[in-house]
Amino acid sequence: MAEEQDDSQKTEDPTNRRLDDARNRGQVANSREVNNFLMLTVFTISVLLFGGTAAGALYKASMPFIESPDLIPADFGHLVSIGWKLLGVLLLAGIIPLVLAFAAAIGAGYLQFGLIFSAESITPKLNKISPLAGLKRLFSARSLAEFVRGLLKIGVVAAIALFLIVPEVAQLNKLIGMEMIQLLGEIKALLAKLLIGVVVIVAAIATLDVIYQRMQHLREMRMSRQEIKDEFKETEGDPLVKGRLRQLRMERTRRRMMAQVPQSDVVVTNPTHYAVALKYDPDTMSAPKMTAKGVDKVAQKIREIAKEHGIPVLENPPLARGLYAAVEVDQEVTPEFYKAVAEVISYIFKLKRRRL
């Protein structure tokens, strides 16, 4: 009941991280019908390209048994030699189709999901050898669905095969008087026709199965909302912790700003909502630098520190608002404020000289 409840709660589409983790474990949408299609296609191509050569080789190897069987030595040694010779002919005729079929079996997986290196699928697990777990898998709804799909597939392929073969039955009588080489040619043509028809049907079945397997995989990878929240916390961090860290960074930045206010040359205010502190050293700076800025309570604190340390405070609302919006702390004033800031700095330097 608990598992059913958990499954019922998994209503959200899987995240990219969950799909990547499943891929690393070897859990991907894998359609066996693609393997069947590629291997059958390779076999069909082999029949079309190499069937004539293979038939000719078999014809030459079998003709001594048909034309002059009485001349074939019947002792055990010669029979073994002939057997090995026939086996060699068969292997040479079938080596290329076998190699192509092997390549198709490997390529089927690569075409569907690329290269995957995972040892989890072959790692021993108790549930894999448990008879009870095996019976559950054998009689599960998924196994029943796979069985029904297999029967339907066999039925469709058999129906197409019969549709292609039945019209050729009436032509069988013409095969009686044919030479062996002609008979092999007719068999090749009939087999090629049958295989091409089956390949077309298997291609359609494979296409539908790929779509089904991917939908099934996404359904199995679905997540509950709690799982998505937990994953977000793992990847992005706990929002509460992130908020606390952000608050600590802001407090450190504020303390650093307040420590720079006493070394500033002037504080420009709104007069109450905004405050920015500026410093300019002609020998080391190409333009005035903002040492602190703030609004409301922070602006009030900047003004208080400036007054405590005798830093001039000037009211210039447009300049204060503009500098606050355009310039960050520890950055130089941008060119559009040069003229206004220069007037302020020049005024402050004149005041300092008068005091001296």
Side-chain angles (χ1 to χ4, degrees), residues 23 28-32 34-36 38 102-116 214:
R23 177 184 174 83
V28 291
N30 184 16
S31 173
R32 297 178 183 175
V34 175
N35 298 53
N36 298 336
L38 288 180
F102 180 75
I106 297 176
Y110 181 78
L111 288 176
Q112 291 186 80
F113 41 77
L115 291 176
I116 295 179
R214 291 185 177 180

Side-chain angles (χ1 to χ4, degrees), residues 102-130:
F102 180 75
I106 297 176
Y110 181 78
L111 288 176
Q112 291 186 80
F113 41 77
L115 291 176
I116 295 179
F117 299 97
S118 175
E120 184 164 340
S121 58
I122 59 175
T123 302
K125 295 182 180 179
L126 292 177
N127 62 348
K128 291 183 179 180
I129 60 176
S130 171

Side-chain angles (χ1 to χ4, degrees), residues 2-198:
E3 292 182 0
E4 293 178 358
Q5 185 177 1
D6 291 342
D7 290 340
S8 65
Q9 293 175 354
K10 295 182 179 181
T11 57
E12 307 301 317
D13 292 334
T15 61
N16 290 333
R17 180 187 174 185
R18 184 176 180 88
L19 293 176
D20 290 340
D21 290 343
R23 177 184 174 83
N24 293 334
R25 295 192 302 269
Q27 298 177 2
V28 291
N30 184 16
S31 173
R32 297 178 183 175
E33 302 303 331
V34 175
N35 298 53
N36 298 336
F37 165 69
L38 288 180
M39 295 182 69
L40 186 60
T41 301
V42 165
F43 180 72
T44 302
I45 294 174
S46 300
V47 170
L48 295 175
L49 295 180
F50 310 109
T53 304
L58 290 175
Y59 172 73
K60 290 180 180 180
S62 61
M63 281 309 295
F65 296 92
I66 299 173
E67 293 179 345
S68 54
D70 55 311
L71 299 179
I72 298 175
D75 59 283
F76 180 76
H78 282 88
L79 291 177
V80 171
S81 177
I82 292 172
W84 281 111
K85 184 178 180 181
L86 290 175
L87 180 60
V89 172
L90 291 173
L91 288 177
L92 288 175
I95 189 65
I96 295 179
L98 287 175
V99 172
L100 292 177
F102 180 75
I106 297 176
Y110 181 78
L111 288 176
Q112 291 186 80
F113 41 77
L115 291 176
I116 295 179
F117 299 97
S118 175
E120 184 164 340
S121 58
I122 59 175
T123 302
K125 295 182 180 179
L126 292 177
N127 62 348
K128 291 183 179 180
I129 60 176
S130 171
L132 182 59
L135 288 174
K136 287 183 178 179
R137 288 194 298 267
L138 184 60
F139 295 100
S140 64
R142 181 169 185 174
S143 297
L144 179 60
E146 292 287 340
F147 178 72
V148 173
R149 287 173 55 245
L151 289 179
L152 290 175
K153 180 184 69 174
I154 293 173
V156 171
V157 173
I160 296 300
L162 288 174
F163 176 77
L164 294 173
I165 290 176
V166 169
E168 302 294 335
V169 174
Q171 308 295 326
L172 291 179
N173 58 347
K174 71 177 184 179
L175 303 179
I176 298 175
M178 286 186 177
E179 295 288 338
M180 178 62 69
I181 192 65
Q182 293 177 326
L183 181 60
L184 291 175
E186 290 292 328
I187 293 174
K188 175 195 169 184
L190 179 60
L191 182 60
K193 180 179 179 181
L194 175 62
L195 288 174
I196 291 174
V198 173

Side-chain angles (χ1 to χ4, degrees), residues 259-271:
Q260 293 186 109
V261 172
Q263 284 78 42
S264 303
D265 293 315
V266 64
V267 172
V268 183
T269 65
N270 191 31

Side-chain angles (χ1 to χ4, degrees), residues 189-214:
L190 179 60
L191 182 60
K193 180 179 179 181
L194 175 62
L195 288 174
I196 291 174
V198 173
V199 164
V200 172
I201 297 302
V202 173
I205 293 174
T207 302
L208 295 175
D209 191 62
V210 167
I211 297 173
Y212 170 78
Q213 293 295 340
R214 291 185 177 180

